[in-house]
Amino acid sequence: MTQAILREIIDYANRADPYPLYEELRKTPVSQDSDGPYVISTYYEIHSLLHDPRISSDRRNLTPTTGDPLAQTEEDGETALPPSFLGLDPPEHDRLRRMTNRPFGPPHSPHRVHDMRGELKGIVSGLIDGIVAADGLDRIDLVDQFSYPFPVSVICRLLGVPPEDEPRFHVWADTLAASLDPDPDADPSQRHKGSQDTRMELGMYLAGLIEERRKNPGDDMLSHLATADTPDGTMTTMEILSTSALLLIAGHETTVNLITNGMLTLLRHPEVLQRLREDPGMAVPIVEELLRYEPPVQLLPQRSPLTEIEIGGVTIPKGASLWLILASGNRDPKRFDHPDRFDPDRGDIQHLGLGSGIHSCFGAPLARLEAQLALSELARRLENPQLLEDPPPYRQNAVLRGPRHLPISCDGIRP
Amino acid sequence: MNGDGSLERLKRDGRIVVVGASLAGLRAAETMREKGFTGSLTMIGDEPYEPYDRPPLSKQVLLGKATADRTALPRRRDIDAKWRLGVPATGLDMAGRRVRLADGDEVEYDRLLIATGVRARPWPNEEEGALDGVFVLRTRDDGAALERSLAAGPRRVLVIGAGFTGSEIASACRERGLPVTVAERGNAPLVGALGGVIGEVAAEMHRTHEVDLRTGVMVTALEGDPSGRVRAAHLSDGATVEADVVVVSLGAQRNTEWLAGSGLGAGPRGIACDAGCRAFNIWGIVTDDIYVAGDVARSPHALFGYQFLSLEHWGNAVAQAETAAHNMLSEGMDRRPHVWVPAFWSSQFGVNIKSVGVPPMGTEILITQGSRDERRFAAVYGYQGRVIAAVTFDQCRWLPFYQHLIETTAPFPPQFATVDRRPEGHKALAADFPDPSVPTHGPTITLSGYSPADRKMTFTPARH
């Protein structure tokens, strides 16, 4: 395999700042080395593929090749759950997503996310209070002490995991996150086994919880999914399992990175951090610009055409693997003025950070709220925060990109 | 105009008058200021209100979820205008460059933008139309009045006309639990805008929501009680419907009467203009200083065989206003055409309906994704072997793809595989638009010019 492009995208050396590489990629909007995936790097081409009904998200439509380094990272083996709606096409996708949305958002549950605001604020406050209690303020790891535990707690509350079981969830989430972030030096079969065991444990736990919620339903999402009788029917236990596993993993790893990338960017732009401190309302445009400027999901590696298509002057065969580099589209100068500038005052910001089309981020309203609350509270409460390492150490993962640690210091914590 | 500085003078201290203080007028004014126009700007509107948004009037407002006085349009920027609200324009002196107002005033202009839009077509019998309980729905006041009457809990509502507005009204009534009868002259709701194949789906939607849908009938008379309140309607099939609220939803009329005799190319079909929004005079010669935008404009569209289209679409009003404003402050080669692809949306019976292109031009239709039975699908319309339009029911995220097919004159029927392609989507059907020689009500798209698909040209409501 002589796959220079793919190797460069995967290459850890480009992790801290992949944007010069993307700039290079955009010179050829659609590119391919040997038999590897087609890499799409420009805004309009990505956007049109995200809305193209000839493009499948179901990996069973992919022609297997050896040239796709991300093709084998997905769950497989006999313990695997059926694919979640993220990896399905309509009509199954639509049905499952609709049923999942019923207890989550409009029109049936317009208040769910909004009503979590107080609870979210409580978690944020608790975690920031905990920073003082921990190892002091000279060296805070914002990832481990804040942006990691926060979304796990939130997803537990949303699903209806009893508070006493939350610590177990944190352990499972850590293990699964590690499996999404392959360490090139680790033994792959060991890692695979570890993540399979975790999936199994998590699945067993959730299955028990679903049974219990069927008997004693509450107002949490699992209860609704377990008991709902909708125009689309009811979800099977397996479907609820794969859906909640999706919510846990996708709704978690991404938010960690959104918050961490956000704080890193703010520390690199102290004037914006100052504005946020003075006006928490700035959190809304700041988070939106962050989703463009440093999106937690850098690329979508799992789509393929159901038929031969032409895009950007290139003919792509049926079943080929497509990598849509969202983060590159977000910095396309044909779409955004001064794309490499972090500018929360940008008016025109139809970014690709949450995808677009039918698979656009399901948890977007919650992710936005989590990031807004987290960043505005950090800005308000941390006194004189300083970045201790720039760039900080990044995760291995090229798809879900973000710092593994974010060492900072501060002079004090405001009440 | 050739570098003599006149454009700079116009931009610096010219006088621009906008007749029509609604969506198109406001967006045009904002665009002019954005482009550096610092002269005097006068906004003339016949309603007493500053610009407000109309789509909520047949949706949230009728459900009592928003009040009609809270639908003011958000402002993009300050426009620093002289507002002449509640005063209709009554005449135009093209030679003297003056607009005459109902209060006797005259306003002089260097450039004029006409964005007077449309108004609801009234019930043709004036006496019957004046009965208490008979409504139309176009303005903020209409919306507030109709909402009050629905909130009072009428025993039955009759909606005359099942175009988009009529269907949305029926949907709102059902959501409020009110019994509602819909009388439609065509064979199905939305048939004028989307054809019979889709009309069938719409009819099913009405029926499953327990709307008493009567198609292929006309309302011949409205009957009042001795106190002057409407109590019943008589239908052409001999039936009588007892209703204490009647909503006349028979489409719109263009507000051009005030231009009669002015020499401008204005009439019942709108004001003809070139693709750059410059109005024609009655000789078909383009004017240099008069521009039109929004529902009242009628302009040739390159993508649709240069047919003159007049579109009652929210998005068209915005885009055309921006183009008109740009061209009003530009010369020659800097002017740009209005090539917006027609698009509209509706929300009724819990379904989101969106369309792009010009469906009534289509002769065939193909369901490309989803299924009509589930009321979730995407369909494309074909015209002479190309894709001319598309419609989605609860599938709007695919629409940009279909718009691209229209813009690139993709072949019809499309042969490619799609996600969610069902057996019914393997064969094109006749789109089944009504015979254009038979009058029908309420399409939101009016095709004018020499197209056989044009219905409005032949339809004139009987005046008693």
Side-chain angles (χ1 to χ4, degrees):
Chain A
M1 279 190 291
T2 53
Q3 294 176 0
I5 299 171
L6 304 184
R7 216 175 25 237
E8 284 218 62
I9 293 174
I10 301 287
D11 187 353
Y12 186 72
N14 284 316
R15 198 70 70 249
D17 184 12
Y19 298 103
L21 167 64
Y22 296 156
E23 188 179 343
E24 200 52 39
L25 280 180
R26 282 193 301 268
K27 289 178 184 164
T28 317
V30 179
S31 46
Q32 188 201 22
D33 320 305
S34 68
D35 67 341
Y38 289 79
V39 175
I40 325 291
S41 54
T42 43
Y43 181 92
Y44 290 107
E45 280 68 23
I46 294 169
H47 189 270
S48 83
L49 289 176
L50 289 172
H51 291 268
D52 192 325
R54 298 169 301 177
I55 304 298
S56 172
S57 294
D58 188 332
R59 51 192 313 108
R60 290 169 290 194
N61 289 314
L62 268 172
T63 305
T65 74
T66 49
D68 188 343
L70 291 179
Q72 298 95 4
T73 58
E74 193 71 0
E75 61 240 56
D76 37 26
E78 63 244 43
T79 60
L81 293 166
S84 65
F85 60 78
L86 181 69
L88 289 173
D89 290 334
E92 294 81 9
H93 162 275
D94 292 3
R95 184 178 64 87
L96 286 170
R97 181 165 166 142
R98 237 179 357 246
M99 289 168 81
T100 312
N101 194 55
R102 276 177 90 88
F104 183 68
H108 301 285
S109 309
H111 299 292
R112 167 81 62 187
V113 171
H114 180 265
D115 289 352
M116 289 184 78
R117 181 175 277 270
E119 212 169 344
L120 262 49
K121 263 194 149 154
I123 303 172
V124 168
S125 302
L127 288 168
I128 298 180
D129 292 343
I131 291 176
V132 201
D135 305 330
L137 303 176
D138 297 339
R139 193 174 177 90
I140 303 164
D141 180 3
L142 201 77
V143 177
D144 284 344
Q145 290 178 260
F146 184 84
S147 31
Y148 219 88
F150 176 43
V152 187
S153 297
V154 175
I155 203 81
C156 285
R157 308 280 172 96
L158 183 72
L159 288 176
V161 172
E164 61 272 21
D165 293 343
E166 268 192 40
R168 299 166 72 189
F169 246 78
H170 281 267
V171 176
W172 290 325
D174 283 356
T175 316
L176 291 180
S179 78
L180 291 172
D181 184 14
D183 173 358
D185 300 330
D187 172 2
S189 68
Q190 278 286 344
R191 202 188 63 220
H192 185 69
K193 169 126 188 7
S195 90
Q196 286 293 41
D197 290 351
T198 305
R199 271 172 213 284
M200 184 70 121
E201 266 181 66
L202 176 66
M204 304 270 279
Y205 172 83
L206 285 172
L209 198 56
I210 290 162
E211 250 344 280
E212 142 61 29
R213 288 291 188 267
R214 281 214 171 97
K215 286 180 212 134
N216 302 304
D219 188 39
D220 52 83
M221 271 191 69
L222 270 190
S223 295
H224 283 280
L225 295 180
T227 58
D229 187 11
T230 74
D232 291 300
T234 50
M235 269 197 200
T236 64
T237 300
M238 285 306 266
E239 284 170 343
I240 303 176
L241 281 179
S242 60
T243 301
S244 33
L246 170 71
L247 297 183
L248 174 68
I249 297 167
H252 164 223
E253 192 65 15
T254 49
T255 316
V256 176
N257 288 336
L258 178 57
I259 294 170
T260 314
N261 289 336
M263 206 51 202
L264 174 62
T265 304
L266 289 173
L267 289 167
R268 285 170 175 169
H269 297 82
E271 69 294 345
V272 182
L273 183 62
Q274 183 60 31
R275 284 175 67 189
L276 177 59
R277 187 173 296 133
E278 286 159 9
D279 173 14
M282 277 298 292
V284 174
I286 285 175
V287 167
E288 228 39 50
E289 172 70 345
L290 276 172
L291 285 164
R292 184 194 71 82
Y293 183 79
E294 286 279 23
V297 180
Q298 294 268 301
L299 62 126
L300 300 176
Q302 199 192 316
R303 311 239 171 166
S304 65
L306 293 173
T307 181
E308 186 179 283
I309 61 163
E310 200 229 284
I311 180 92
V314 176
T315 301
I316 300 179
K318 174 180 172 175
S321 171
L322 303 176
W323 283 15
L324 310 181
I325 319 287
L326 304 177
S328 173
N330 277 353
R331 301 262 190 135
D332 187 342
K334 283 203 177 117
R335 178 61 187 81
F336 297 104
D337 294 335
H338 308 291
D340 291 324
R341 189 187 290 166
F342 177 67
D343 176 10
D345 299 320
R346 203 178 277 281
D348 172 25
I349 185 170
Q350 291 280 310
H351 58 74
L352 301 170
L354 299 167
S356 190
I358 64 161
H359 290 282
S360 71
C361 178
F362 177 84
L366 183 61
R368 284 187 165 111
L369 184 60
E370 286 179 70
Q372 288 160 8
L373 287 174
L375 293 177
S376 57
E377 276 300 281
L378 287 170
R380 187 180 71 80
R381 294 193 61 192
L382 300 188
E383 259 175 63
N384 189 29
Q386 300 290 330
L387 198 52
L388 297 180
E389 279 176 49
D390 194 3
Y394 271 79
R395 297 173 194 290
Q396 177 61 35
N397 202 315
V399 179
L400 307 175
R401 170 181 165 267
R404 175 60 193 93
H405 301 285
L406 188 67
I408 62 168
S409 69
C410 67
D411 295 349
I413 307 263
R414 294 186 189 87
Chain B
M1 292 262 217
N2 301 314
D4 62 356
S6 61
L7 182 65
E8 282 62 41
R9 277 199 301 283
L10 172 75
K11 287 178 85 161
R12 196 175 54 243
D13 46 28
R15 298 161 303 176
I16 291 183
V17 172
V18 177
V19 185
S22 192
L23 179 61
L26 177 66
R27 292 291 177 250
E30 289 165 341
T31 308
M32 288 183 238
R33 289 300 189 204
E34 200 176 295
K35 292 196 177 285
F37 172 63
T38 54
S40 91
L41 184 59
T42 307
M43 305 285 294
I44 298 168
D46 60 346
E47 287 185 73
Y49 311 116
E50 292 206 1
Y52 58 86
D53 211 13
R54 293 182 203 277
L57 294 178
S58 58
K59 304 175 184 79
Q60 294 92 328
V61 170
L62 286 196
L63 291 171
K65 289 182 179 168
T67 56
D69 58 347
R70 298 288 296 276
T71 68
L73 278 165
R75 300 293 180 88
R76 290 181 180 172
R77 57 175 296 131
D78 183 25
I79 57 169
D80 184 24
K82 283 177 234 158
W83 293 87
R84 303 291 304 261
L85 296 173
V87 192
T90 52
L92 170 65
D93 173 359
M94 285 171 67
R97 293 187 164 182
R98 274 190 288 262
V99 174
R100 282 192 288 278
L101 301 185
D103 63 4
D105 239 1
E106 295 192 331
V107 189
E108 296 188 326
Y109 63 81
D110 299 308
R111 290 268 194 284
L112 171 67
L113 176 69
I114 302 175
T116 44
V118 301
R119 64 183 182 280
R121 185 185 304 284
W123 185 242
N125 179 318
E126 268 179 56
E127 205 178 305
E128 292 175 9
L131 288 170
D132 205 9
V134 177
F135 298 88
V136 293
L137 179 53
R138 175 73 197 171
T139 65
R140 189 179 129 170
D141 289 345
D142 295 340
L146 181 55
E147 199 281 326
R148 268 197 306 278
S149 78
L150 297 185
R155 278 168 300 138
R156 176 165 293 276
V157 179
L158 169 67
V159 180
I160 307 176
F164 280 102
T165 307
S167 298
E168 286 174 11
I169 295 167
S171 167
C173 288
R174 288 310 300 137
E175 205 171 326
R176 298 185 77 136
L178 298 170
V180 58
T181 298
V182 171
E184 163 59 41
R185 197 168 183 165
N187 292 325
L190 312 184
V191 72
L194 298 175
V197 174
I198 303 303
E200 234 174 78
V201 183
E204 256 326 284
M205 247 159 54
H206 281 245
R207 293 199 176 100
T208 49
H209 287 84
E210 293 169 335
V211 173
D212 170 29
L213 175 67
R214 319 277 186 98
T215 55
V217 295
M218 291 196 299
V219 174
T220 52
L222 300 177
E223 187 189 321
D225 64 15
S227 69
R229 237 201 112 69
V230 70
R231 59 165 295 273
H234 300 283
L235 308 187
S236 56
D237 61 0
T240 300
V241 175
E242 295 199 7
D244 33 15
V245 170
V246 172
V247 193
V248 177
S249 193
L250 297 175
Q253 288 178 320
R254 297 185 154 67
N255 292 317
T256 54
E257 291 83 352
W258 66 285
L259 295 165
S262 66
L264 202 66
R269 285 146 56 191
I271 303 168
C273 62
D274 72 4
C277 309
R278 291 185 296 178
F280 290 157
N281 69 17
I282 54 169
W283 304 107
I285 298 171
V286 78
T287 57
D288 274 329
D289 49 0
I290 304 179
Y291 289 72
V292 292
D295 294 1
V296 79
R298 215 181 132 232
S299 66
H301 200 308
L303 194 54
F304 302 99
Y306 291 96
Q307 277 198 70
F308 278 76
L309 300 177
S310 40
L311 303 164
E312 294 168 34
H313 297 167
W314 194 95
N316 183 65
V318 174
Q320 200 166 25
E322 288 167 353
T323 303
H326 169 89
N327 290 344
M328 286 170 85
L329 300 172
S330 306
E331 279 174 2
M333 293 301 286
D334 296 334
R335 291 191 180 126
R336 58 180 203 222
H338 173 59
V339 284
W340 189 76
V341 177
F344 70 86
W345 82 98
S346 172
S347 170
Q348 45 185 282
F349 304 107
V351 175
N352 173 286
I353 302 174
K354 283 195 173 189
S355 150
V356 288
V358 186
M361 273 181 86
T363 50
E364 290 174 280
I365 188 170
L366 181 81
I367 311 296
T368 50
Q369 293 179 265
S371 130
R372 278 180 293 159
D373 289 345
E374 294 167 19
R375 287 176 219 142
R376 288 191 199 94
F377 61 87
V380 296
Y381 293 84
Y383 172 70
Q384 295 185 346
R386 60 176 273 205
V387 176
I388 201 84
V391 63
T392 58
F393 274 45
D394 273 351
Q395 291 283 347
C396 66
R397 286 172 191 264
W398 299 115
L399 216 52
F401 172 78
Y402 294 107
Q403 177 166 339
H404 186 68
L405 293 186
I406 298 163
E407 287 167 348
T408 53
T409 67
F412 181 94
Q415 295 296 343
F416 48 76
T418 61
V419 293
D420 205 9
R421 185 106 178 224
R422 315 280 179 91
E424 66 176 305
H426 292 288
K427 202 167 148 266
L429 310 164
D432 191 20
F433 280 95
D435 180 344
S437 67
V438 177
T440 180
H441 294 286
T444 57
I445 293 173
T446 301
L447 290 176
S448 43
Y450 299 101
S451 155
D454 185 343
R455 289 163 307 287
K456 280 270 179 161
M457 285 179 65
T458 52
F459 174 58
T460 316
R463 289 248 168 221
H464 294 269

